[in-house]
């Protein structure tokens, strides 16, 4: 998305010096992902291919990963309830999303992550895209903040700022709208 935003800003908005992507989401985590995948025994088709796990491109890996994924999900939910998970909790959530159905995230009314295992893993294509994203971040001057967009001081932007706002959609059936996740 960052590349798309920059291309629009470059081609349509000459003189833009700052791009503000208000709803950028969680960004991407690369570091330590393989350690979590390995420690839970989740599939690694980039290294071993589908055959090792009894899966195919169309049937996927859900059968192989289901029990392992559910253990990771249970551990994540327990850590999340404590409220002190920090980086480990964030990393576990990232891996859950990578291995979840359609790479989605959803939480139940108790605040527990509850997506089922999906048929994909942290494959070569996903890894390549995330690596390219991380490399792109090294090339520029980026500042990431985690705050409520409504509290960001509007006077920090000027006429040289391209503001990109693509918020969650209340009227859609996206999984983040379940259990009052986005209500305004």
């Amino acid at each position: 998305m960052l590349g798309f935003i920059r291309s629009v800003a470059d081609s349509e908005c000459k003189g833009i010096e700052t791009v503000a992507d208000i709803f950028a989401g969680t960004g991407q985590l690369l570091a330590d992902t393989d350690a979590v995948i390995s420690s839970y025994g989740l599939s690694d088709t980039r290294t071993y291919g589908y055959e090792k796990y009894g899966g195919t491109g169309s049937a996927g890996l859900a059968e192989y990963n289901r029990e392992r994924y559910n253990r990771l999900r249970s551990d994540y939910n327990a850590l999340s309830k404590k409220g002190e998970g920090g980086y480990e909790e964030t990393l576990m959530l990232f891996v859950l999303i990578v291995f979840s159905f359609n790479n989605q995230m959803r939480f139940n009314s108790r605040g527990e992550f509850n997506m089922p295992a999906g048929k994909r893993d942290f494959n070569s294509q996903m890894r390549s895209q995330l690596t390219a994203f991380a490399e792109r971040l090294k090339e520029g001057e980026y500042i990431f903040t985690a705050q409520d967009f409504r509290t960001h001081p509007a006077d920090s932007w000027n006429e040289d700022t391209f503001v990109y706002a693509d918020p969650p959609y209340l009227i859609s059936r996206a999984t983040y709208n379940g259990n009052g996740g986005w209500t305004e």
Side-chain angles (χ1 to χ4, degrees):
M1 183 56 69
L2 189 60
F4 167 75
I5 295 168
R6 177 55 70 190
S7 69
V8 169
D10 287 347
S11 65
E12 303 294 326
C13 307
K14 300 297 182 204
I16 296 300
E17 294 185 16
T18 302
V19 175
D21 184 357
I22 297 175
F23 298 98
T26 61
Q28 310 298 333
L29 290 175
L30 290 174
D32 301 326
T33 300
D34 288 327
V36 173
I37 292 169
S38 177
S39 69
Y40 283 89
L42 294 162
S43 63
D44 179 3
T45 57
R46 178 184 64 96
T47 303
Y48 303 107
Y50 280 90
E51 298 77 29
K52 174 177 176 151
Y53 307 104
T56 64
S58 60
L61 302 159
E63 176 104 12
Y64 176 84
N65 284 323
R66 186 169 291 114
E67 184 178 319
R68 295 159 178 84
Y69 174 90
N70 288 344
R71 187 167 43 92
L72 171 60
R73 187 177 66 190
S74 177
D75 290 351
Y76 166 79
N77 285 331
L79 186 61
S80 180
K81 281 185 182 180
K82 292 179 184 177
E84 301 170 2
Y87 178 73
E88 181 183 7
E89 179 181 343
T90 303
L91 183 60
M92 291 170 81
L93 177 60
F94 174 72
V95 174
L96 282 170
I97 293 168
V98 166
F99 283 82
S100 74
F101 177 76
N102 286 344
N103 305 116
Q104 294 183 24
M105 59 188 274
R106 178 183 66 208
F107 297 87
N108 62 25
S109 61
R110 294 181 304 275
E112 298 170 327
F113 185 88
N114 70 347
M115 287 300 295
K119 67 180 196 172
R120 293 181 284 198
D121 67 3
F122 197 42
N123 58 39
S124 295
Q125 181 178 358
M126 183 181 291
R127 186 179 299 268
S128 175
Q129 291 170 344
L130 293 178
T131 300
F133 176 81
E135 291 302 316
R136 177 69 172 102
L137 290 179
K138 293 176 186 175
E139 296 172 8
E141 295 180 34
Y142 302 100
I143 299 170
F144 292 89
T145 60
Q147 66 187 74
D148 186 321
F149 74 96
R150 294 168 290 195
T151 64
H152 186 84
D155 61 354
S156 68
W157 297 327
N158 59 37
E159 63 274 359
D160 296 330
T161 302
F162 177 82
V163 178
Y164 180 80
D166 186 16
Y169 303 100
L170 178 61
I171 62 171
S172 75
R173 295 185 188 269
T175 57
Y176 53 69
N177 283 336
N179 298 309
W182 184 262
T183 59
E184 299 178 24

